[in-house]
Amino acid sequence: MTARELDAAGITDPALRRAYTHCRRLNARHGKTYFLATRLLPAHRRPAVHALYGFARWADDLVDTHDSRGTPLERALALEDLETSLRHGLRTGHSREPVVQALADTARRHAIDPRHFHDFMSAMRDDLTVTDYPTYADLRGYMHGSAAVIGLQMLPVLGTTVPRAEAEPYAADLGVAFQLTNFLRDVGEDLDRGRVYLPADLLAAHGADRELLRWSRDTGRRDPRITRALKAFEALTRDVYRRAVPGIALLDPVSRPCIRSAFVLYAGILDAVADDGYDVLHRRAVVPRRRRAVVALDGLVRIAHARIRHGSPPLVTTPHSPGAGHGPDAFDLAAPVRREAREGRAA
């Protein structure tokens, strides 16, 4: 977290500043695509986004069964401790755990419904025991807590031009679209963690199953039945993106470039998977650096246009939002964008 961002957000307490900075590191390390998009937000909104995503990453790491640092029981106890800390933090506004401290402060400043955090923790508990999903409906039930509520948490930070409830379904769908994209990209890695997020009925409709996925992962060989199932999952994911896209226009104009960029970059992962021949069981598809740079530059142009046309009004949907530092710093954004462009040309 830069001092300028913290100052713009009105975060002055030294311990709280350290907590937000810790969350920013987690977001930068685990969520490179969204971290880049977050830099397109006005400076005073970035700390809250880092707090939300930092907490989500922290909890997700605790339940990652591919992590050899603890047994399943130890991970369950660690998650229970985190949830206890979360409840205390949301109730009192204080916690000795940095990610919880930053999250509690963000929830207070932006009046985020605590229910969204509890639903998220419920999904994390599912990840301790549930290793596959019979149907897409079952998967959607899980994703309400693991993905949809992330979009709902973000909405008060981003701000809307309509009553928040009108934008919520689109925000939830966008969170789901992002997670479905991750599921498609990470099929092989998730399988190594003991999880299959492709619904069993979708696999079966194309003659595939968990055992066939495991065979392909272990042998390095491909099978057309798996490819057909992956294409069907991609089509399902693109349909969720189509449902989510109208919600971008409902956001505060100065927030739209961030979410539009995240939308384009995540959808670009689907393109990368297709370009790679749906070989996700054997290697991870990535969006080329040059493409990331182009999207970021487009975001900068959209920011300039939004500031000229709309200015930078305070959030009307966020009662406790600070009023300082509304605009993103063009120099702060341009440096990583130029670096992305140079690396893209070198790639």
Side-chain angles (χ1 to χ4, degrees), residues 111-141:
I112 301 173
D113 191 337
R115 175 188 48 168
H116 299 325
F117 302 112
H118 299 313
D119 287 350
F120 172 76
M121 293 303 294
S122 177
M124 294 301 97
R125 288 195 300 274
D126 286 347
D127 265 338
L128 292 171
T129 57
V130 180
T131 61
D132 51 38
Y133 294 87
T135 68
Y136 181 59
D138 295 316
L139 183 64
R140 282 296 300 239

Side-chain angles (χ1 to χ4, degrees), residues 212-277:
L212 186 63
L213 297 178
R214 185 73 263 173
W215 168 84
S216 178
R217 178 72 168 172
D218 290 343
T219 64
R221 298 173 65 183
R222 304 177 62 173
D223 188 288
R225 292 170 292 180
I226 295 175
T227 302
R228 289 195 296 269
L230 294 173
K231 287 182 177 179
F233 194 78
E234 177 201 5
L236 179 154
T237 303
R238 291 190 186 276
D239 184 59
V240 180
Y241 275 105
R242 282 191 288 271
R243 294 203 304 271
V245 71
I248 297 176
L250 305 182
L251 298 175
D252 185 330
V254 298
S255 293
R256 290 175 198 163
C258 166
I259 302 306
R260 186 182 301 276
S261 296
F263 183 100
V264 173
L265 287 169
Y266 267 93
I269 295 173
L270 297 180
D271 297 333
V273 167
D275 292 344
D276 207 26

Side-chain angles (χ1 to χ4, degrees), residues 306-343:
R307 293 185 67 186
I308 292 170
R309 183 174 181 181
H310 302 282
S312 298
L315 285 176
V316 296
T317 57
T318 305
H320 304 290
S321 177
H326 295 291
D329 187 321
F331 293 101
D332 180 47
L333 288 167
V337 170
R338 287 194 299 267
R339 183 168 60 251
E340 287 275 3
R342 288 196 301 271
E343 291 172 349

